[in-house]
Amino acid sequence: MKNVVVIGAGIVGLSTAYYLLKEGFQVTIIDKGDITSGASFVNAGYITPSHIIPLASPGMIAKGIKMMFNSASPFYMKPRLDTDFLKWSWYFHKSSTLAKVEKAIPLIKDINLISRQLFTDIKNSGDLGDFQLERKGLLMLYKTEASYLHEKKVAERVNFEGLEVSDLNKSELHKLEPNVNIEAEGAIHYECDGHTTPTEIMPKLLIYLKQQGVVIKTNEEVLDIKTSGTIIKEIITDKDSYRPDEVVLAAGSWSGNLAKKLNLKLSLQGGKGYSINVARETGISIPAILMESKMAVTPMNGFTRFAGTMEFSGNNDVVRKERVHAIANGAHSFYPDIEINDTEINAVKTGLRPVSPDGLPYIGKSSKFTNLTIATGHAMMGWSLGPATGKLVAELLSDTKPSMNLTAFSPERTF
């Protein structure tokens, strides 16, 4: 029985362990934290086939430069002289073309649809017990004509790709969400999308993996990776050392730093997001993106989550209060009866999403090391794509034909 070390215990790492276990591998997970926080716990919980446009799209760099000096803006790049960041920014700029976006659209759709089905399969298997998994769709709420016209173009493309979408006016929106006052002109409703409660699924997945014999090492940091020719021989941590047959690098925003230990180039930046949980009754029953506020709202099990922002300021957990207040204000502007209070604001959580320059994940085997597979770089779709990524990695390690062509996700692609 082959033994695999998975570095990283976010949704991608745990999903990878889940599917490797199903294929009969012996799995050890190593994570530098205690697996109770980070992007996999604080995200919006969306399963989003509708999100077919990658982050690297025309105009995004111009937006980033415009917003660079406003640390409360939804898309914020902290100006800094950091070689990795400057290279990544240049690759991001080069990837932000219509031609590259066109190539990415079907790929993003296909991997999301695989993942959506896998979430359902996991629920139906009973492995994790019961958990929230709903298909109520996603509302893109808008206040202005400009936002509506922008989203309508996306909706037309989503519809062309065969996904369910509808256009709602004010009264149709009220019929769908009768228990909350919404200050919006209407919504595009992506009926193809689903939602979950990440803080419910992550602990259940951990419990299941432990029960099935997966070894989980927490608060343990990988310090070095020893190689011999084209083989990874040993992983050295601050507590122990491991000699696995296979290694999966799924360490989220820290994957780039670990890749450097192997002299591999993996262009990645941590995109920080924030989330506020409101445990009071809000009346919100359908997930929504508030277009002008550029933030997400999700009715989860026991609370409503208000999440948002994409902040590139390095791998840190510094909370910028102005950004948190921008989320609270954005929520109030669309839901005027909902006031997020100081206690809720002060309990804000943050997480780093690993962002590749072209907005596509890195999923694939290394050509330099025969026993290394990389799975990271999912940007805002990490939660949505966790199960699909885990399944694809398990297929690669089992020498099974992958569920989809992975060429475009190659960790060694050029930008």
Side-chain angles (χ1 to χ4, degrees), residues 44-53 108-109 112-113 115-117 119-120 133-140 151 154 158-159 162-166 188-196 285-289 296-299 380-381 384:
Y46 292 163
I47 300 162
T48 49
S50 72
H51 277 38
I52 55 171
I53 310 293
I108 295 173
K109 180 195 76 171
N112 263 293
L113 288 175
S115 222
R116 187 180 73 177
Q117 184 56 50
F119 268 107
T120 303
L133 177 64
E134 298 189 66
R135 180 90 63 84
K136 291 184 174 179
L138 175 66
L139 295 169
M140 300 294 289
E151 197 57 38
V154 177
V158 168
N159 187 45
L163 300 169
E164 310 83 7
V165 57
S166 54
I188 300 285
H189 186 202
Y190 292 114
E191 297 158 43
C192 50
D193 290 2
H195 72 285
T196 57
S285 70
I286 300 173
I289 287 180
V297 182
T298 316
M380 294 175 292
M381 287 184 286
S384 189

Side-chain angles (χ1 to χ4, degrees), residues 8-11 13-15 17-18 21 29 31 33-37 41 127-128 200-218:
I11 185 62
L14 295 191
S15 296
Y18 178 84
L21 183 67
I29 299 171
D31 196 274
D34 60 3
I35 323 181
T36 62
S37 61
F41 286 83
D127 288 346
L128 311 191
E200 181 182 51
I201 291 175
M202 288 293 286
K204 283 176 183 275
L205 192 45
L206 267 173
I207 289 165
Y208 174 78
L209 292 172
K210 281 179 187 168
Q211 285 172 345
Q212 298 301 311
V214 172
V215 176
I216 297 169
K217 301 284 189 174
T218 55

Side-chain angles (χ1 to χ4, degrees), residues 128-275:
L128 311 191
D130 193 29
F131 58 84
Q132 183 197 27
L133 177 64
E134 298 189 66
R135 180 90 63 84
K136 291 184 174 179
L138 175 66
L139 295 169
M140 300 294 289
L141 300 175
Y142 59 86
K143 288 175 179 287
T144 63
E145 180 83 353
S147 290
Y148 169 64
L149 293 173
H150 172 270
E151 197 57 38
K152 192 163 172 57
K153 272 177 79 174
V154 177
E156 283 164 1
R157 186 56 198 269
V158 168
N159 187 45
F160 176 78
E161 291 291 332
L163 300 169
E164 310 83 7
V165 57
S166 54
D167 199 330
L168 306 176
N169 61 30
K170 221 171 188 170
S171 68
E172 289 165 332
L173 175 59
H174 178 67
K175 266 186 205 147
L176 215 54
E177 274 288 46
N179 301 317
V180 61
N181 178 18
I182 302 178
E183 193 67 50
E185 290 307 304
I188 300 285
H189 186 202
Y190 292 114
E191 297 158 43
C192 50
D193 290 2
H195 72 285
T196 57
T197 302
T199 49
E200 181 182 51
I201 291 175
M202 288 293 286
K204 283 176 183 275
L205 192 45
L206 267 173
I207 289 165
Y208 174 78
L209 292 172
K210 281 179 187 168
Q211 285 172 345
Q212 298 301 311
V214 172
V215 176
I216 297 169
K217 301 284 189 174
T218 55
N219 300 305
E220 190 166 332
E221 189 168 1
V222 174
L223 299 179
D224 203 6
I225 304 173
K226 301 280 187 200
T227 61
S228 173
T230 61
I231 295 171
I232 292 174
K233 284 288 190 186
E234 190 179 10
I235 292 168
I236 297 163
T237 71
D238 54 358
K239 291 182 179 171
D240 213 336
S241 76
Y242 305 84
R243 300 181 77 87
D245 298 314
E246 295 280 351
V247 178
V248 179
L249 178 55
S253 298
W254 290 269
S255 301
N257 295 338
L258 290 169
K260 279 182 185 172
K261 294 181 188 298
L262 295 163
N263 291 318
L264 297 176
K265 289 190 178 80
L266 197 65
S267 189
L268 267 184
Q269 285 294 310
K272 192 187 294 176
Y274 297 85
S275 75

Side-chain angles (χ1 to χ4, degrees), residues 33 104 244 297 339 350 400:
V297 182
E339 288 269 10
T350 180
T400 307

